[in-house]
Amino acid sequence: MTTKIVLHESDLPRQWYNLNADLPVPMPPPLTPDGKPITPEMLRPIFPNALIEQEVSTKRWIDIPEEVIQILAKWRPTPLHRAYSLEKYLKTPARIYYKNESLSPAGSHKPNTAVAQAWYNKREGVKKLTTETGAGQWGSALAFACAQVGLECQVFMVRISYDQKPYRKMMMQTWGAECIPSPSDRTQAGRDVLAKDPNTPGSLGIAISEAVEMAVTDPTHSTKYALGSVLNHVMLHQTVIGLETKKQLALAGEKKVDVVIGCAGGGSNFAGLAFPFVADKINGAQIDIIPVEPASCPTLTKGPYLYDLGDFSGMTPLLPMYTLGHTFVPAPIHAGGLRYHGMAPLVSQAARLGLIRPVAIQQLECFRAALTFARTEGIIVAPETSHAVASAIREAEKAREEGKEKVIVFNLSGHGLVDLKGYDMFMKGELSDFELPMAEIEKNLEAIKNFPKPEPLGTK
Amino acid sequence: MTTKIVLHESDLPRQWYNLNADLPVPMPPPLTPDGKPITPEMLRPIFPNALIEQEVSTKRWIDIPEEVIQILAKWRPTPLHRAYSLEKYLKTPARIYYKNESLSPAGSHKPNTAVAQAWYNKREGVKKLTTETGAGQWGSALAFACAQVGLECQVFMVRISYDQKPYRKMMMQTWGAECIPSPSDRTQAGRDVLAKDPNTPGSLGIAISEAVEMAVTDPTHSTKYALGSVLNHVMLHQTVIGLETKKQLALAGEKKVDVVIGCAGGGSNFAGLAFPFVADKINGAQIDIIPVEPASCPTLTKGPYLYDLGDFSGMTPLLPMYTLGHTFVPAPIHAGGLRYHGMAPLVSQAARLGLIRPVAIQQLECFRAALTFARTEGIIVAPETSHAVASAIREAEKAREEGKEKVIVFNLSGHGLVDLKGYDMFMKGELSDFELPMAEIEKNLEAIKNFPKPEPLGTK
């Protein structure tokens, strides 16, 4: 009886897997607001060349630099746990596994891409990275990564989070990053907002604008910007998760996987686990691959597939994706990392092609699942991750009802040790479910009705 | 180049190591306040038989129950990391290793004994465990362990910590434990204190009294009490740390260890790593074994070896140990887990026999070391652990000055993700050093001058 399957450093993947190489129908290209394809030149003020190349690459396997592997090896390969205690509690014949990404120094999967991005920037002579962060998961991961490779790091943190969630701010500072409440007086974008409303709580859109402005206006041209989800190169870097998992399942003697689950906000932890399995599915394997989103932010399950901005403020190209409209403001659920209006274009295309099966789950079911998981398996998961746990429990219960010995794998994308407020409110009965009305979605989509439209599937 | 040495579950130790079997001079026995040896019968209302047996055992190896191993296997064996980044930063020829106990679900080494204690209690028909906690490390570890074996758990948390440090309280509740601010109206001890001062911030001494009272007054005799440090059986359970470390060093090709380091409050994480190496030292190996304490609570470095109470309020037997006097109130340093007036009798005896070499380090040096460690190795350590890091850096710098390729191993006993306030204050320049005056120590020792005295060494 092996509780967790561990790998040695020599088993760390040497290449990332690029789903772009295998999609039966390629995703439509990102566009400028007036409908022209985005060229690499347009991205050069913001990203280093290597990442721009990865963003558009259709190579199936992309080498991971040895120096990146050496940093990842500080916590990777991560263990794959067998959830014996949860299985017993659920009385399910299913075998449940979870990949434990909470063991990174920042407590989530985010450093997988942060390290790669920081390293490529450093190699191309960049001195400083800027980024935005909401609750602080991404900002702290990038701060960690910049310390590892020797880059300055500047994080614009939404002011209300900066004030209310001091722990991740302190993490960033401990790793040597500068953490600035946004809006700030450092940028024109920030000053404009403050002039209108000095007491604004800030927003992710404003923080993105500030971070990008700092990068593109640096007179020494040695500052770039980093993004923690949505883009193709971010999905790529996360595939170490799924590649390791496949090795570990083989070691556990599992010849077939039935269900693969990840929570999905921007899409990166889901893609990281799922894309190597999506490749198997494209090649004919029968796998149910489930991205799980909050019912209050049901991008894949209720949004249409359209071109939309990746951010609230129009700094990004138009991306082809499922979206609730970039002006959408989700309910204040505790899974802050899942409150994103869109979905990574690669994940969106996989959904559109029927390769994955999105579900939306309500907040209360997720916290109930997280509490069950904490009291059986012992790990307190992040509120985001609780969505994957809830889905895994649903699937395990279904397997019990069907009397089937299914193999279920989910991504434990992060721990919740600095997000316990949500658990506290749940246990006190202070949380409630929230169903997003279609009228609300339609209202937000009104604002993007004049954007170009993706070609329908099957028109080529 | 291997960054960390991982073991498989089959390498998890099957037996704990008991230093009591090998001490050249046995430790003096615990006594009642009037000088009589404590008998197992006196302990039965508080502890289960198996733990009382372990407390007095002189067997060298004690079997770990298979069920305990299965729970420990959820996160054990923990990795042994090679600190390449720190070595490079320090330009030291030393090879620095650290054992990563921060990867347990509770974030520290404490669950190693919490699981064993909970399991033995459960086996003997106990239904509920009570304990006290200061900052919450021990309380959360016991809450986790009780959920694992299916016991109720009741934690009396010092009121000021309960109010100021809500995260660990929420962790306990997430694992299903009841967390009660102490003093409370649940116990006579609590009611007495509240009657005198309804606004008292509470103390560890009062919390111990409440937890023990709940256990001994349970009319169904199904409640026992659990302690997270100091006692022999706690040291015993922690030796999995050092036993794994020895296997891992051998796998790394290290034939000899020069320096072994752990921070020391009550002594349990230090003992866990160090005792298996102390055994080697007793058998003739040349190893410098260093318990590191805060300069503001210098039990081993400035306290005398005496009989003293283990707690502030007189609920425990008299223990033979280095002590600053049980009435000692340490300065409010951020390493809450190191603010203990005494030291585990086994650790004390090892110090008295010259088998270990205690050092005390000031708070500012420790936080400086922790910041260096976070920015090189990437892990944000607990303020307690920062003392071990500071000592490791001192030893690595000494190796550089001496031009020696020493092998240094320290215990990374816990992460600091829910203790970031200390880092924040350090970075803002709000912390300062504190040297405990001898007069202050002498004043506290006055209160115990009439206790029996341990026999001097060499009188047998």
Side-chain angles (χ1 to χ4, degrees):
Chain A
M1 175 160 161
T2 302
T3 305
K4 60 191 184 317
I5 299 106
V6 297
L7 297 174
H8 291 273
E9 277 173 42
S10 52
D11 293 310
L12 230 163
R14 259 49 198 172
Q15 297 180 306
W16 290 300
Y17 169 69
N18 183 8
L19 181 63
N20 242 333
D22 289 321
L23 280 176
V25 181
M27 52 173 259
L31 301 178
T32 62
D34 56 355
K36 298 200 181 95
I38 293 288
T39 63
E41 282 62 40
M42 295 175 187
L43 299 173
R44 285 198 216 290
I46 303 179
F47 298 118
N49 293 323
L51 296 178
I52 295 170
E53 276 170 37
Q54 290 179 359
E55 191 61 24
V56 298
S57 173
T58 54
K59 270 181 68 181
R60 181 170 296 118
W61 296 102
I62 295 179
D63 288 345
I64 309 179
E66 185 55 36
E67 295 87 341
V68 170
I69 291 174
Q70 277 176 27
I71 300 172
L72 296 179
K74 288 187 173 179
W75 74 96
R76 303 204 73 84
T78 57
L80 181 75
H81 298 247
R82 171 81 184 271
Y84 282 111
S85 304
L86 179 63
E87 291 170 18
K88 193 174 157 192
Y89 174 84
L90 296 174
K91 298 186 178 66
T92 178
R95 298 194 288 285
I96 308 173
Y97 295 88
Y98 54 97
K99 181 70 169 165
N100 193 351
E101 292 296 305
S102 77
L103 299 180
S104 79
S108 80
H109 67 293
K110 292 283 184 193
N112 294 331
T113 184
V115 166
Q117 291 190 46
W119 187 83
Y120 284 117
N121 273 286
K122 175 82 175 180
R123 195 187 55 169
E124 295 189 23
V126 171
K127 301 272 183 259
K128 181 158 90 175
L129 280 180
T130 64
T131 198
E132 74 289 337
T133 200
Q137 289 268 21
W138 168 244
S140 55
L142 192 67
F144 158 78
C146 285
Q148 287 294 306
V149 306
L151 279 181
E152 287 176 62
C153 182
Q154 194 174 52
V155 182
F156 289 89
M157 186 170 188
V158 176
R159 181 180 293 274
I160 190 165
S161 296
Y162 184 94
D163 292 337
Q164 290 181 354
K165 301 189 171 180
Y167 275 59
R168 285 223 171 74
K169 167 185 74 187
M170 295 176 200
M171 284 169 71
M172 295 179 224
Q173 291 167 336
T174 298
W175 279 315
E178 187 184 15
C179 183
I180 303 160
S182 166
S184 75
D185 59 6
R186 306 284 188 96
T187 65
Q188 193 57 49
R191 287 188 293 270
D192 287 351
V193 175
L194 287 173
K196 277 185 217 152
D197 179 4
N199 298 316
T200 174
S203 76
L204 210 53
I206 300 166
I208 294 177
S209 303
E210 291 206 280
V212 174
E213 181 181 328
M214 285 304 289
V216 299
T217 61
D218 175 8
T220 68
H221 302 291
S222 61
T223 302
K224 302 269 184 203
Y225 165 79
L227 198 66
S229 193
V230 180
L231 298 181
N232 299 353
H233 66 270
V234 179
M235 306 297 124
L236 179 79
H237 300 156
Q238 293 293 355
T239 57
V240 289
I241 300 171
L243 295 169
E244 287 175 9
T245 300
K246 287 174 88 168
K247 280 194 200 184
Q248 288 164 313
L249 286 168
L251 282 174
E254 299 296 358
K255 295 193 174 52
K256 187 178 175 335
V257 180
D258 299 289
V259 188
V260 173
I261 299 168
C263 65
S268 78
N269 96 75
F270 166 75
L273 175 66
F275 280 5
F277 294 95
V278 172
D280 292 346
K281 189 159 180 173
I282 292 170
N283 290 322
Q286 292 273 335
I287 315 177
D288 191 12
I289 303 175
I290 308 175
V292 190
E293 52 189 19
S296 57
C297 190
T299 315
L300 286 166
T301 48
K302 286 199 172 169
Y305 185 83
L306 290 172
Y307 270 111
D308 195 2
L309 294 166
D311 66 328
F312 296 78
S313 49
M315 302 294 296
T316 71
L318 292 176
L319 301 172
M321 59 183 179
Y322 287 92
T323 179
L324 300 170
H326 64 273
T327 54
F328 173 65
V329 180
I333 63 158
H334 281 276
L338 304 183
R339 297 173 71 240
Y340 181 65
H341 69 280
M343 182 58 65
L346 273 175
V347 173
S348 292
Q349 185 72 353
R352 203 177 169 216
L353 293 168
L355 293 166
I356 61 179
R357 179 173 69 86
V359 304
I361 303 186
Q362 288 282 6
Q363 174 161 265
L364 293 184
E365 180 178 342
C366 293
F367 272 113
R368 256 196 311 276
L371 223 56
T372 297
F373 193 78
R375 293 175 187 181
T376 52
E377 290 300 310
I379 300 176
I380 298 176
V381 303
E384 290 81 359
T385 309
S386 74
H387 290 71
V389 175
S391 173
I393 289 178
R394 280 188 183 183
E395 295 300 318
E397 287 176 339
K398 198 164 77 183
R400 183 186 62 210
E401 284 153 25
E402 297 173 351
K404 284 189 185 159
E405 274 195 32
K406 286 189 184 172
V407 173
I408 299 169
V409 187
F410 74 89
N411 196 5
L412 197 160
S413 54
H415 65 64
L417 298 186
V418 280
D419 306 283
L420 283 161
K421 187 76 189 146
Y423 280 86
D424 191 46
M425 291 179 74
F426 172 71
M427 290 185 286
K428 287 176 177 159
E430 293 170 3
L431 296 185
S432 55
D433 283 343
F434 180 76
E435 191 78 35
L436 186 65
M438 279 307 295
E440 166 81 12
I441 299 174
E442 280 153 19
K443 197 181 71 191
N444 281 285
L445 294 174
E446 189 66 17
I448 65 170
K449 66 176 176 192
N450 294 326
F451 286 170
K453 298 282 176 297
E455 281 184 55
L457 279 177
T459 53
K460 292 213 176 175
Chain B
M1 176 161 157
T2 303
T3 305
K4 59 190 183 320
I5 300 104
V6 297
L7 297 174
H8 291 273
E9 278 173 43
S10 53
D11 293 311
L12 230 164
R14 259 50 198 169
Q15 296 180 308
W16 291 299
Y17 169 68
N18 183 9
L19 182 62
N20 242 333
D22 289 321
L23 280 175
V25 181
M27 52 174 259
L31 300 178
T32 62
D34 56 357
K36 298 203 181 92
I38 294 287
T39 63
E41 282 63 39
M42 295 175 186
L43 299 173
R44 286 197 216 289
I46 304 181
F47 298 116
N49 293 323
L51 295 178
I52 295 171
E53 274 170 38
Q54 290 179 359
E55 191 60 25
V56 299
S57 173
T58 53
K59 269 182 67 181
R60 181 170 294 119
W61 296 102
I62 295 179
D63 287 344
I64 310 178
E66 185 54 36
E67 295 88 342
V68 170
I69 291 174
Q70 277 176 28
I71 300 172
L72 295 180
K74 289 187 172 177
W75 73 96
R76 304 206 72 87
T78 57
L80 181 74
H81 298 247
R82 172 81 184 270
Y84 283 111
S85 304
L86 179 63
E87 292 170 18
K88 195 174 156 191
Y89 174 84
L90 296 174
K91 299 187 176 67
T92 177
R95 296 193 290 282
I96 308 173
Y97 294 87
Y98 54 96
K99 181 70 168 165
N100 193 350
E101 292 295 307
S102 76
L103 299 181
S104 79
S108 80
H109 67 292
K110 292 282 185 194
N112 294 331
T113 184
V115 167
Q117 291 190 46
W119 187 84
Y120 282 116
N121 274 286
K122 175 82 175 177
R123 194 186 57 168
E124 295 189 24
V126 172
K127 300 272 183 260
K128 180 157 89 174
L129 281 180
T130 65
T131 198
E132 75 289 337
T133 200
Q137 289 268 22
W138 168 243
S140 55
L142 193 68
F144 158 78
C146 285
Q148 287 295 306
V149 305
L151 278 182
E152 287 176 63
C153 182
Q154 194 175 52
V155 182
F156 290 88
M157 186 170 187
V158 177
R159 181 180 292 274
I160 190 164
S161 296
Y162 184 94
D163 292 336
Q164 292 181 352
K165 301 190 170 178
Y167 275 60
R168 284 223 172 75
K169 167 186 73 186
M170 296 176 199
M171 284 168 72
M172 294 179 226
Q173 292 167 336
T174 299
W175 279 313
E178 186 184 15
C179 182
I180 303 161
S182 166
S184 75
D185 60 6
R186 306 285 189 94
T187 65
Q188 195 56 49
R191 288 188 293 270
D192 287 350
V193 174
L194 287 173
K196 275 185 219 151
D197 179 6
N199 298 316
T200 174
S203 75
L204 209 53
I206 299 164
I208 293 177
S209 302
E210 291 206 281
V212 174
E213 182 180 327
M214 285 303 289
V216 298
T217 61
D218 175 8
T220 69
H221 303 292
S222 61
T223 302
K224 302 269 183 200
Y225 166 79
L227 197 64
S229 192
V230 181
L231 298 181
N232 299 353
H233 66 270
V234 180
M235 306 297 124
L236 179 78
H237 300 156
Q238 293 293 357
T239 57
V240 289
I241 301 172
L243 295 169
E244 287 176 10
T245 300
K246 289 174 88 168
K247 280 194 199 183
Q248 288 164 310
L249 286 168
L251 282 174
E254 300 295 358
K255 296 191 174 54
K256 186 177 177 334
V257 179
D258 299 289
V259 187
V260 173
I261 300 167
C263 64
S268 78
N269 98 75
F270 166 76
L273 174 66
F275 281 3
F277 293 96
V278 172
D280 292 346
K281 189 160 180 173
I282 291 170
N283 290 322
Q286 292 274 335
I287 315 177
D288 191 12
I289 303 174
I290 308 175
V292 189
E293 52 189 18
S296 57
C297 191
T299 315
L300 286 166
T301 48
K302 286 198 175 171
Y305 185 82
L306 289 173
Y307 270 112
D308 195 2
L309 293 166
D311 66 328
F312 296 79
S313 49
M315 300 296 295
T316 72
L318 292 175
L319 301 173
M321 60 184 178
Y322 288 91
T323 181
L324 300 169
H326 63 274
T327 54
F328 173 65
V329 180
I333 62 159
H334 281 276
L338 304 184
R339 296 173 71 240
Y340 181 64
H341 70 280
M343 181 58 64
L346 273 175
V347 173
S348 292
Q349 185 72 353
R352 203 178 169 215
L353 293 168
L355 294 166
I356 60 179
R357 178 173 70 86
V359 303
I361 303 187
Q362 288 282 6
Q363 173 161 265
L364 293 184
E365 180 177 343
C366 293
F367 273 112
R368 258 196 310 276
L371 223 57
T372 296
F373 194 77
R375 293 175 186 181
T376 53
E377 290 301 310
I379 300 175
I380 298 177
V381 302
E384 290 82 359
T385 310
S386 74
H387 291 72
V389 176
S391 173
I393 289 178
R394 279 188 183 183
E395 295 301 317
E397 288 177 337
K398 197 164 77 181
R400 183 185 63 211
E401 284 153 25
E402 297 172 352
K404 285 190 185 160
E405 274 195 32
K406 287 188 185 173
V407 173
I408 299 169
V409 187
F410 74 89
N411 196 6
L412 197 159
S413 54
H415 67 62
L417 297 186
V418 278
D419 306 283
L420 283 161
K421 188 75 190 146
Y423 280 86
D424 191 47
M425 291 181 74
F426 172 71
M427 290 186 286
K428 287 176 176 158
E430 292 170 4
L431 297 185
S432 55
D433 283 342
F434 180 76
E435 191 77 37
L436 186 65
M438 279 307 296
E440 166 81 12
I441 300 175
E442 280 155 20
K443 196 182 72 191
N444 280 287
L445 294 175
E446 190 66 19
I448 65 169
K449 67 177 177 191
N450 294 327
F451 286 170
K453 299 280 175 297
E455 280 184 56
L457 280 177
T459 53
K460 290 209 180 181

